[in-house]
């Protein structure tokens, strides 16, 4: 099962509006190149691995389209896929996804779905399933399901357990988050139990690992 890494780095590169960088593998080297930020991830074989771009800071669909035509397209050789985070209620995530896919039709696009910000429906499970199906129709390849800080009682674990079946097998990859670097052993043990419950549903295709600075806990 693929293990991705979620994290953000600040640099002159993303003074270009709306771009944040999320990593999919451990970052080995970061080098500044011609005023932009290049990521050189060099395993033993010397082949350069790419990162993912997490698109943030845009306020409307026009902004997403403008970024796709500009900095995202210009940096195509640096990234392996795009992520759209869900930071606030009411965000038109699939509208933004459609705009990115129109400009970058071959990209591996992951849309985040935060239950904290998706509370409009009384049927959280049905709403998530419909969201997944609508995403597939647009060409979205991944969904990252998260509860969010101080999220609802029916969290990501509960939604997966109640879902019962994959909304779009072989067409969509469902991902969940895991934080190995929580501050206490009790919190880390609870996080591991939550991950085990998510995996036992048989619906999880990807695990997105929160970045941290404790190499022992991340091992």
């Amino acid at each position: 099962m693929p293990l991705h890494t979620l994290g953000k780095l600040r640099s002159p590169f993303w003074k270009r509006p709306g771009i944040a960088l999320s990593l999919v593998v451990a970052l080995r080297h970061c080098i500044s190149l011609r005023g932009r930020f290049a990521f050189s991830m060099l395993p033993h074989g010397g082949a350069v691995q790419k990162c993912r771009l997490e698109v943030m800071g845009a306020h409307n669909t026009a902004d997403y389209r403008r970024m796709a035509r500009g900095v995202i397209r210009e940096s195509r050789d640096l990234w392996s896929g795009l992520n759209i985070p869900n930071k606030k209620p009411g965000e038109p995530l699939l509208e933004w996804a459609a705009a990115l896919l129109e400009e970058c039709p071959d990209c591996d696009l992951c849309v985040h779905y935060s239950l904290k910000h998706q509370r409009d429906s009384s049927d959280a499970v049905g709403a998530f399933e419909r969201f997944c199906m609508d995403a597939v129709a647009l060409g979205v390849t991944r969904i990252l399901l998260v509860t969010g800080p101080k999220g609802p009682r029916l969290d990501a674990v509960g939604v997966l357990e109640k879902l019962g079946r994959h909304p779009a097998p072989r067409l969509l990859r469902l991902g969940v988050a895991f934080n190995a670097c929580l501050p206490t052993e009790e919190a880390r043990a609870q996080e591991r139990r939550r991950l085990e419950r998510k995996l036992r549903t048989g619906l999880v295709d990807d695990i997105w690992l929160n970045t941290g600075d404790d190499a022992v806990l991340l091992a």
Side-chain angles (χ1 to χ4, degrees), residues 80-210:
S80 60
L82 303 175
N83 283 50
I84 299 177
N86 184 191
K87 296 296 186 182
K88 297 185 296 186
E91 291 178 323
L93 300 171
L94 294 183
E95 187 175 310
W96 295 345
L100 290 180
L101 288 168
E102 285 175 13
E103 302 299 331
C104 305
D106 61 338
C107 79
D108 178 4
L109 180 60
C110 177
V111 180
H112 301 196
Y113 188 96
S114 172
L115 293 168
K116 176 181 179 179
H117 301 314
Q118 302 287 338
R119 306 197 195 199
D120 293 341
S121 174
S122 58
D123 179 11
V125 177
F128 176 65
E129 187 171 18
R130 290 190 295 273
F131 182 90
C132 290
M133 297 304 297
D134 291 342
V136 168
L138 291 175
V140 173
T141 49
R142 304 175 193 263
I143 297 290
L144 171 56
L145 175 65
V146 298
T147 303
K150 299 181 181 179
R153 183 182 299 274
L154 184 60
D155 59 7
V157 175
V159 167
L160 288 172
E161 289 176 341
K162 290 179 177 294
L163 189 60
R165 62 178 183 178
H166 198 296
R170 297 180 298 280
L171 298 176
L172 183 72
R173 299 185 67 87
L174 291 185
V176 296
F178 176 70
N179 189 347
C181 296
L182 292 172
T184 67
E185 177 54 38
E186 181 182 358
R188 293 192 293 270
Q190 182 180 14
E191 182 77 347
R192 289 192 293 270
R193 289 193 294 270
R194 286 172 50 79
L195 178 61
E196 290 170 0
R197 287 177 60 189
K198 293 172 185 177
L199 296 178
R200 279 199 294 268
T201 66
L203 303 179
V204 176
D205 300 299
D206 297 321
I207 300 172
W208 293 78
L209 179 67
N210 289 73

